[in-house]
Amino acid sequence: NQDALVQAIKTGQVDMITEFPNTAVATLQEDPNIEVVTGAPFAPEVTDVIFNQVLPENCPPADGLCTGHPALLDRNVRLALAHATDKQKIIDVVLLGFGTPGTTLLPDGLGLWYNSSLQDYEYDVAKANQMFEDAGYLDTDGDGVRELPDGSRPLTFRINWPSDSIDSPRIAELLSEMWGQVGVDLEAQALDPDTLTAVCCPAFDFDVMLWGWGSDPDPNLLLSVMTTDEIPTGSSETGYSNPEFDELYYEQASELDLNTRKDLVWQMQQIVFDDVVYIIPYYAQAVQAYRKDRFT
């Protein structure tokens, strides 16, 4: 197990370790014979806050329930929630600082494919509250939770995550605190992975979900899950649909010139970032250690 790995490198039984808890970093850094290395992994995993955005006309006819909260179809709501999310606090609490704020589903570990020019939405509670006010989401009954502009329904969202996730319960707790400051209430529940898959896609029987993806070195897979064609297949967990993004996806998939394809991939990331398809709380850094008395 991971604790045994930490002890093994300290005693010299192993020469390097590539998976261990961030809580062990400090003790390893104190050892004069051990070097700790952190950075963006080449085969990264991405943690994402998923919004159910499937439109009625795109609800899969055979499997779709499409019970998502209607407020999440409004970009103003998703953008306000992005401004209400303190990513650095999540990184500090969940990862003990070993992460970087995320922007799109393509992580920074993908190197040239990652659009490093994106300027993330700043954490600003006052701005988020004002955006809700300007869009007509008011707390008319004074209970601390905003309602839809027509007053028909409060901004109470279900938030689910896989029960085998170590970090998601803490992320959900932090989001509940942060979003509560802007009048959004969360009903949190862990589900076993099979149940979560069943309510996810293509059923779209959820509001907000904490889950993630593993990334290939090539960006094609992660780009594909945001296309309209993947809504009925179960690969799209957001139900997001944008014809411009779809067109660029098929263009980049057949583009043979590296720089031209990179420009297309960067353009696609800008589109989904502007549309606030996800909130990406962080890109977790790889944390590894080796015996520097044996390697240079």
Side-chain angles (χ1 to χ4, degrees):
N1 62 40
Q2 292 188 340
D3 290 334
L5 286 174
V6 172
Q7 292 304 313
I9 194 171
K10 291 175 71 174
T11 59
Q13 290 175 276
V14 298
D15 299 325
M16 67 174 295
I17 56 176
T18 60
E19 292 184 17
F20 58 93
N22 292 349
T23 51
V25 169
T27 184
L28 292 180
Q29 287 176 327
E30 293 170 356
D31 192 309
N33 294 317
I34 296 174
E35 184 78 17
V36 177
V37 182
T38 65
F42 293 128
E45 293 183 354
V46 187
T47 297
D48 47 25
V49 180
I50 303 162
F51 297 123
N52 185 346
Q53 299 156 67
V54 66
L55 297 170
E57 58 266 29
N58 289 334
C59 186
D63 306 299
L65 299 176
C66 304
T67 63
H69 197 294
L72 294 173
L73 299 178
D74 186 349
R75 177 185 177 272
N76 292 314
V77 170
R78 302 193 302 272
L79 182 57
L81 292 175
H83 282 295
T85 302
D86 187 347
K87 295 181 181 180
Q88 191 58 53
K89 182 175 182 179
I90 295 174
I91 292 168
D92 292 341
V93 170
V94 176
L95 301 179
L96 301 184
F98 292 100
T100 54
T103 49
T104 74
L105 201 59
L106 268 63
D108 52 359
L110 292 197
L112 67 91
W113 302 118
Y114 170 66
N115 187 342
S116 57
S117 71
L118 296 174
Q119 298 297 311
D120 202 5
Y121 302 114
E122 72 273 19
Y123 172 58
D124 190 332
V125 174
K127 184 172 186 175
N129 274 309
Q130 190 60 54
M131 291 182 67
F132 275 120
E133 294 287 323
D134 293 343
Y137 296 88
L138 310 178
D139 178 15
T140 57
D141 57 9
D143 66 350
V145 181
R146 299 180 182 276
E147 294 93 32
L148 290 172
D150 63 4
S152 63
R153 187 172 173 181
L155 296 193
T156 298
F157 303 144
R158 300 164 291 175
I159 184 168
N160 305 113
W161 62 89
S163 57
D164 59 356
S165 171
I166 297 173
D167 296 331
S168 292
R170 192 69 180 105
I171 297 174
E173 183 181 355
L174 290 168
L175 289 178
S176 183
E177 295 171 1
M178 294 169 187
W179 294 0
Q181 296 183 70
V182 296
V184 171
D185 182 44
L186 294 181
E187 295 178 344
Q189 183 182 13
L191 300 173
D192 71 78
D194 289 340
T195 301
L196 193 61
T197 300
V199 302
C200 169
C201 25
F204 295 101
D205 187 18
F206 72 96
D207 296 329
V208 181
M209 191 179 298
L210 305 177
W211 217 343
W213 286 95
S215 175
D216 293 333
D218 188 90
N220 193 70
L221 171 66
L222 290 180
L223 293 173
S224 73
V225 305
M226 294 177 279
T227 61
T228 306
D229 285 347
E230 297 300 335
I231 293 175
T233 71
S235 291
S236 170
E237 357 86 281
T238 62
Y240 173 71
S241 177
N242 183 321
E244 181 185 6
F245 182 90
D246 294 345
E247 183 177 344
L248 289 171
Y249 170 74
Y250 291 108
E251 187 176 347
Q252 68 80 32
S254 60
E255 177 56 58
L256 298 181
D257 181 79
L258 179 64
N259 289 326
T260 302
R261 184 180 179 221
K262 189 206 94 166
D263 291 343
L264 293 170
V265 171
W266 278 41
Q267 186 179 345
M268 295 171 72
Q269 290 174 79
Q270 184 72 60
I271 291 172
V272 294
F273 177 77
D274 291 342
D275 286 345
V276 200
V277 179
Y278 297 90
I279 292 177
I280 309 296
Y282 54 71
Y283 302 132
Q285 292 180 341
V287 183
Q288 305 175 352
Y290 67 91
R291 296 280 308 197
K292 61 183 179 182
D293 56 342
R294 298 180 184 173
F295 295 95
T296 58

